[in-house]
Amino acid sequence: MATTHTDKTYEAELRELRDRLLAMGGLVEQAIVSSVRAVTERDVELAEQVKLRDREINRMEVDVDGQCRRILALRQPAASDLRFITTALKIVVDLERMGDLAVNVAERALDLAQAPAFAPTHDLAKIADLAEAQLKKALDAFVTGDVAKAEEVMKSDELIDALYLKIFNDMLGRMMEDSKNIRRATALMFAAKHLERFGDHATNLAEMVVYMVRGTDVRHPRSRAPGVPGA
Amino acid sequence: MTSIPQHASAAPKMETRGLEIRYGPKAAVKGVSLTLPERQVTALIGPSGCGKSTFLRALNRMNDLIPGASASGEILLDGRSIYAGHLDAVELRRRVGMVFQKSNPFPKSIFENVAYGLRIGGLSDKRELGERIERSLHSAALWDEVKDRLGESAMGLSGGQQQRLCIARALAVEPEVLLMDEPASALDPIATAKIEDLIHELKARYTIAIVTHNMQQAARVSDQTAFFYMGELVEVGPTEQIFTTPREQRTEDYVTGKFG
C-alpha cells in the first residue's frame, strides 16, 4: 500500500484485524506441529494441550468475525480494504477448521498412545512439515500481499496429496498383513488424512490472498461457466 | 488523458472528447473524454476542486454564464455538437436539465414552480398544463404528498420535498438528460433514500449524470463511475469494478480514503 488511510483510527482497526489473523495463524501453526509431535513421540500430555488450546483459536475466530462485521457496518470499506475484509471473513473459517484438524490429529495421538507403537511415523512427520510450511507460506503471502508466494502454495499441494496416498497404501498393506494392525493403521491413516485436509485449507488461504491482491477469483477453475472469468 | 476504455453496452447519449475548460488561465478540466451511456446513471466522484462539477455544468453550457470561462474540445449530444448551430443554449438546457445541490424553488405555488418551464416554452392550455404537472410530480415521487395543496407556496415544503419539486420542475420540460450536482447532500437519510430511489426509477427514461461527494451514494445509484482528480479523468468503469477492483492507484487511494 503506497499510502495510509487519512482516518488513523480506521487504519489502526485494519491493522489490528490483520495482526489478530496472524496471531491466530501462529496458534494454528503451533497446534499442528504439537499434534504431530504428540503422535510421533507418543506424548499424551502434548495432545491434551493441543485440545485445550484450540479454545483460544475458536475465540479468535469469533473476535475476527466481530471485527469484520464492525468495519463493514461502520466504515463501508471499498476496493482493497473491501477485498481484505472479505478475505479475512473467509480465511478465518479456514484457520479455525485447521485448528480443529490439529485437534483431530491430537485425538489420534491419544488413540495410538494406548497401544504399542507399530509403524514408523517419518512419512507422517514429513506430511506435517509440508502442511505447516504451506500454512506459513500462505500467511506470509497474506501479510506481504505476495501473489507469487500464494501461487507456490497452490502448486505444492500436490506433494502433500502424493505423500498422503503413500501413507494410505502403506497402512492398507499393514492391515492386510495382520488384522491386529487395523485399529492403529486406521488411526495413522486418519491422521494423514487430517494433515492432507490441513494442506487443502492452506491452499484456500492462498487462493484468497490472490483475490485480495489482484481482485480475481482463482478458485475452481474447472467449475466455471464458459465465458465467466474470475471477477 | 485522451481515451479510456469504457464498458458501456448502451449507446452513448452524451459524449465529450478532449474537453478542456479554463477559468481564465487555469484549466479546471483537462482533456476529458467521457461517454454518458443512454439510460444509465454515471456518477462523477473526486475530491473538491477536481473538476467534476465544472465538467457536469459544461454538459448543458452552464459555464457559459461564468465570466472568463472557456471550453475547447467536443461535447456531443446524440452525436452532434452542443455548440452547433442547430441548438441554442435554451433548447440545449431543455434537453439537458439540471438539479442543483441546494433546492431552489421559486417563491411561488407548487403548481407554478413545475409550470414555469412549460409556460416559458409557450404552453398555456390549462388541461395540458395540469396533465404535464401531474405527470412530472408523479415522476418525481412527490404527487401523493402535494396533490391536495398544489396552490400552496413551495416554500412550505420540507427540504427533501423541495428537492423533488426541483426534479419535477426539471422533468416537466421533458428533458433527455438529467444532470444532478450533489442533489442529496443537504438532505436527511430518509429524504436522500427517496431521491436515490427516484434516480433508479428515472433512469428507465433518462440519461443521468450525478456529482456526489458521498461515495456510498455513487456506489448505490450509478451504473458507471468516473473518478476525477486535478481536472483529469483518472478512471472510468462499471461502478462495481471501481469500488472493488479499481485499476488506478489514485482511484484506489480515493475510494479507500487514503487521500491526505
Side-chain angles (χ1 to χ4, degrees):
Chain A
M1 254 168 253
T3 40
T4 61
H5 294 81
T6 308
D7 186 331
K8 297 292 169 237
T9 318
Y10 182 30
E11 179 80 17
E13 285 168 11
L14 291 171
R15 197 169 44 235
E16 195 186 313
L17 176 58
R18 186 173 293 117
D19 290 348
R20 185 160 300 186
L21 277 165
L22 279 182
M24 189 177 170
L27 287 183
V28 172
E29 222 177 293
Q30 218 174 51
I32 202 69
V33 171
S34 300
S35 67
V36 174
R37 199 189 304 147
V39 174
T40 55
E41 296 175 11
R42 303 169 61 80
D43 188 336
V44 172
E45 201 176 314
L46 193 57
E48 292 292 354
Q49 267 179 28
V50 171
K51 288 174 70 177
L52 214 61
R53 284 194 195 141
D54 188 52
R55 292 181 193 166
E56 176 65 13
I57 295 172
N58 294 345
R59 265 197 299 277
M60 288 180 103
E61 182 193 23
V62 175
D63 285 351
V64 166
D65 271 359
Q67 265 180 308
C68 290
R69 269 197 305 273
R70 234 177 355 262
I71 291 173
L72 282 172
L74 305 181
R75 301 292 188 178
Q76 290 101 36
S80 62
D81 295 340
L82 179 66
R83 299 200 305 274
F84 168 63
I85 301 293
T86 48
T87 298
L89 276 170
K90 295 201 69 121
I91 69 174
V92 75
V93 178
D94 282 305
L95 287 172
E96 190 278 334
R97 194 75 197 93
M98 288 162 108
D100 288 349
L101 288 167
V103 168
N104 293 150
V105 173
E107 284 165 350
R108 297 296 78 77
L110 294 174
D111 290 348
L112 287 162
Q114 286 176 2
F118 89 111
T121 50
H122 56 264
D123 278 341
L124 195 75
K126 214 188 284 176
I127 202 173
D129 284 349
L130 285 175
E132 190 219 341
Q134 290 280 79
L135 171 60
K136 200 176 252 169
K137 212 182 261 184
L139 288 172
D140 266 5
F142 171 70
V143 179
T144 53
D146 187 338
V147 169
K149 198 169 262 183
E151 285 169 343
E152 267 175 48
V153 173
M154 286 149 63
K155 279 186 206 120
S156 332
D157 192 50
E158 286 167 14
L159 283 175
I160 294 182
D161 291 351
L163 208 46
Y164 165 64
L165 201 65
K166 182 167 179 269
I167 295 175
F168 182 90
N169 287 327
D170 183 14
M171 292 305 131
L172 214 54
R174 285 166 196 273
M175 288 183 207
M176 288 190 293
E177 262 168 40
D178 185 348
S179 62
K180 284 199 213 69
N181 287 338
I182 289 180
R183 197 176 187 90
R184 287 171 296 178
T186 307
L188 276 177
M189 204 186 255
F190 268 106
K193 183 68 196 165
H194 297 322
L195 292 169
E196 186 270 329
R197 289 296 302 149
F198 190 95
D200 288 345
H201 285 287
T203 304
N204 290 353
L205 250 65
E207 288 168 342
M208 285 311 294
V209 170
V210 176
Y211 166 73
M212 183 182 81
V213 177
R214 288 223 181 117
T216 46
D217 197 332
V218 293
R219 296 172 305 169
H220 317 302
R222 283 184 289 273
S223 309
R224 256 172 241 282
V228 181
Chain B
M1 201 157 287
T2 46
S3 82
I4 291 171
Q6 283 181 257
H7 301 260
S9 50
K13 181 68 187 175
M14 287 200 88
E15 192 178 351
T16 68
R17 291 180 190 162
L19 182 64
E20 182 129 340
I21 300 165
R22 297 179 164 277
Y23 296 127
K26 187 184 173 296
V29 170
K30 301 170 188 167
V32 170
S33 300
L34 178 68
T35 296
L36 304 187
E38 185 159 35
R39 289 176 191 167
Q40 287 196 9
V41 179
T42 299
L44 311 178
I45 62 169
S48 297
C50 70
K52 59 191 188 297
S53 289
T54 300
F55 177 85
L56 190 79
R57 285 199 302 268
L59 297 177
N60 72 349
R61 292 178 57 183
M62 294 286 283
N63 292 325
D64 288 8
L65 308 170
I66 298 170
S70 63
S72 63
E74 282 187 285
I75 306 175
L76 308 176
L77 174 61
D78 289 333
R80 298 176 73 182
S81 169
I82 64 167
Y83 286 97
H86 71 285
L87 197 63
D88 66 23
V90 174
E91 173 62 7
L92 172 68
R93 289 176 197 142
R94 188 198 64 72
R95 292 177 64 189
V96 182
M98 191 144 191
V99 177
F100 299 90
Q101 178 175 12
K102 205 169 168 313
S103 56
N104 52 353
F106 305 133
K108 290 167 177 281
S109 70
I110 292 166
F111 184 95
E112 283 305 324
N113 261 277
V114 186
Y116 191 81
L118 297 171
R119 286 196 202 281
I120 286 181
L123 184 67
S124 54
D125 182 81
K126 256 198 148 140
R127 225 195 69 207
E128 202 187 337
L129 210 52
E131 279 173 10
R132 293 273 288 270
I133 285 161
E134 180 174 343
R135 208 185 315 147
S136 303
L137 286 166
H138 268 299
S139 296
L142 189 58
W143 175 252
D144 288 338
E145 292 163 58
V146 301
K147 64 182 178 204
D148 300 321
R149 47 174 174 148
L150 294 176
E152 289 174 25
S153 169
M155 308 314 275
L157 296 173
S158 72
Q161 288 171 328
Q162 286 188 8
Q163 192 60 306
R164 278 178 286 144
L165 181 69
C166 293
I167 293 173
R169 191 173 65 194
L171 297 179
V173 296
E174 298 180 337
E176 297 152 45
V177 179
L178 205 54
L179 309 176
M180 303 178 124
D181 194 352
E182 298 247 22
S185 64
L187 304 179
D188 72 30
I190 309 265
T192 298
K194 283 184 184 168
I195 298 280
E196 290 178 1
D197 186 41
L198 180 58
I199 291 171
H200 280 298
E201 282 175 26
L202 292 176
K203 79 169 181 185
R205 279 171 291 157
Y206 306 93
T207 301
I208 298 172
I210 176 173
V211 160
T212 176
H213 272 132
N214 180 334
M215 275 185 283
Q216 274 70 49
Q217 180 169 70
R220 287 191 296 263
V221 303
S222 69
D223 301 295
Q224 72 165 357
T225 295
F227 171 58
F228 283 71
Y229 186 59
M230 292 173 67
E232 281 177 32
L233 174 62
V234 173
E235 183 171 0
V236 57
T239 296
E240 188 185 327
Q241 180 239 313
I242 296 289
F243 285 95
T244 57
T245 46
R247 294 197 177 88
E248 298 287 328
Q249 186 62 44
R250 283 177 296 176
T251 314
E252 162 79 32
D253 288 348
Y254 186 68
V255 300
T256 55
K258 289 180 194 147
F259 265 53

